[in-house]
Amino acid sequence: MNERDYHDRHYEAEAALFDTPLFRRVHDRAARQFLHIARASRAHRILSLGCGDGSIERRLAPHVGTIVGVDISPVALAQARAKSTQFANLSFEIAGRSQGDFDIVAAFAFLHHLDDAAIRDTLHAARRALRPGGLLYSSDPSRRRLVGLLRGLVRKTYERYHSPDERELDAGALAAMAGEAGFSEVKTGYSDYFLGPLAWLAPGTPAWLASGLEALDSLALGIPLARRYASSFYLCAS
């Protein structure tokens, strides 16, 4: 099964997963982090790679100029359009068709679905799509993630929610690729400790518990030695 077929099937069968208390918090935080780190505003035109059903893009729409979300899955794009009719500044396209200059190219949990050669191609394409002074922002699962040690205990669920080509990435290696693609200022940081993986593994977590788990996750991200083993990292490059 290829990536497109996997995601078509996933969005047909698992769409409700993204409307659970934990996932709402994960996507709320992802949007806040992006707005803060990328300093995105209503003056900016944004291209979002691998947008899925547009959950994060809908959270960003009230705060930015325009957003164009792209994805390889027609099923995901149909859901994104149906859920986003209230946002005149938000549109969705099949991957490969978007044109024009952008202030920011975002890739929320997207690059780790690609092999190294495809990542390099994507970084070069993002560079070309950006206006002078533009910014690339990405977030992906980390190869150092501490929660990876528990993978064997949840193998069946892990395989259910992971596509054929999905993998964890090394922040340093991705930063080096961004430099090779022509980005001169590259920084990385940590964006999630365990909340993201838990949203996949325990979708039934009640809302009253989700807030406490997010607070605990944020606490872990603030501990210098511990955060090196966070589940996800972000990259910001210009």
Side-chain angles (χ1 to χ4, degrees), residues 46 48 51 53-62 64-70 80-81 83-93:
I46 298 169
S48 183
C51 64
D53 73 344
S55 177
I56 295 177
E57 290 72 18
R58 283 189 294 279
R59 287 164 165 81
L60 296 177
V64 302
T66 59
I67 309 179
V68 179
V70 299
R81 293 184 182 112
K83 295 175 181 179
S84 307
T85 55
Q86 70 271 41
F87 298 110
N89 64 335
L90 176 56
S91 62
F92 298 96
E93 300 176 358

Side-chain angles (χ1 to χ4, degrees), residues 111-112 116 119 138 140-145 167-178 188-190 228 231-235:
L111 295 178
H112 71 285
D116 284 356
I119 289 176
S138 69
D140 287 285
S142 170
R143 191 172 295 168
R144 292 182 177 180
R145 52 174 27 186
R167 62 199 173 113
E168 288 80 29
L169 300 181
D170 180 80
L174 184 60
M177 290 184 198
T188 61
Y190 303 100
R228 294 185 59 197
S231 68
S232 298
F233 68 93
Y234 71 83
L235 177 142

Side-chain angles (χ1 to χ4, degrees), residues 128-147:
R128 292 191 298 270
L130 286 168
R131 295 170 177 165
L135 185 77
L136 168 70
Y137 179 93
S138 69
S139 60
D140 287 285
S142 170
R143 191 172 295 168
R144 292 182 177 180
R145 52 174 27 186
L146 186 63
V147 295

